[in-house]
Amino acid sequence: MRAAAHFRDIALFLNIHVMNKPEFSARIFQSPSPFNLETGDLIDPVEIERVGKVLEALIAWTNRIGK
């Protein structure tokens, strides 16, 4: 999370467009893990829904800055 925040600060300084919200992070080693640790697949329905919202926001953000 710190690295992502630092990257965002650098990108903003360089006048690079960044999508600030929504953001997503998941704790792989929480119990129970939101991931299938053998395959790496995200299996938690709540986290899957959050990822979907991030992807929808990314599409909308991309359409706004791409015009």
Side-chain angles (χ1 to χ4, degrees), residues 1 4-5 8 19-25 50-51 53-54 57:
M1 300 269 309
R8 185 179 302 128
M19 185 179 86
N20 290 312
K21 292 191 178 187
E23 59 186 13
F24 176 80
S25 64
R50 288 180 58 213
V51 168
K53 289 179 181 178
V54 171

Side-chain angles (χ1 to χ4, degrees), residues 4 8-9 12 16-24 61 64:
R8 185 179 302 128
D9 291 342
L12 290 172
I16 297 172
H17 297 286
V18 294
M19 185 179 86
N20 290 312
K21 292 191 178 187
E23 59 186 13
F24 176 80
W61 179 80
R64 280 195 309 273

Side-chain angles (χ1 to χ4, degrees), residues 30-64:
Q30 73 185 19
S31 182
S33 178
F35 297 92
N36 177 325
L37 297 179
E38 292 181 10
T39 64
D41 294 337
L42 183 61
I43 57 174
D44 185 302
V46 173
E47 299 296 340
I48 291 171
E49 183 177 337
R50 288 180 58 213
V51 168
K53 289 179 181 178
V54 171
L55 291 175
E56 289 172 4
L58 178 61
I59 291 167
W61 179 80
T62 303
N63 288 331
R64 280 195 309 273

